[in-house]
Amino acid sequence: MGLRTVTATEAKNHFGECLDGVSEAPLIITKTRRPFAVVMSHKEFLRLQAIEDAYWGKRAEEGEASGYLGVERSRALLADLTK
């Protein structure tokens, strides 16, 4: 099943049918002929969230390895410098 697009009116009038398909692929809802919202399965949402968490975790590790002190230590250092 491919990516589906429906209007907001169609989504409202056929909500149950629209939900049936999101386990296969996200559903794009348009409003005034432009993409407005995406409905996806909870499983897909969690998968994307895990990818984002891994990305930011990796960026944090890279920052720490390059010498970033962290939020609290940076604030304390700045506070000491402005005394």
Side-chain angles (χ1 to χ4, degrees), residues 1-82:
M1 180 178 281
L3 195 62
R4 295 181 307 147
T5 301
V6 297
T7 66
T9 301
E10 290 170 324
K12 179 184 75 163
N13 291 338
H14 304 284
F15 189 68
E17 294 167 29
C18 289
L19 285 182
D20 288 342
V22 299
S23 62
E24 301 295 322
L27 174 69
I28 298 171
I29 300 174
T30 61
K31 188 173 181 180
T32 60
R33 293 187 210 90
R34 293 189 301 234
F36 185 78
V38 176
V39 179
M40 67 181 72
S41 70
H42 186 254
K43 181 178 177 180
E44 179 67 1
F45 173 77
L46 292 177
R47 187 185 75 80
L48 293 174
Q49 195 170 43
I51 291 169
E52 184 179 16
D53 289 348
Y55 170 80
W56 286 113
K58 180 73 173 158
R59 294 293 309 265
E61 289 172 358
E62 291 168 356
E64 191 173 35
S66 70
Y68 177 63
L69 302 175
V71 175
E72 295 304 319
R73 289 182 61 199
S74 294
R75 282 186 184 146
L77 180 60
L78 288 171
D80 286 344
L81 291 173
T82 58

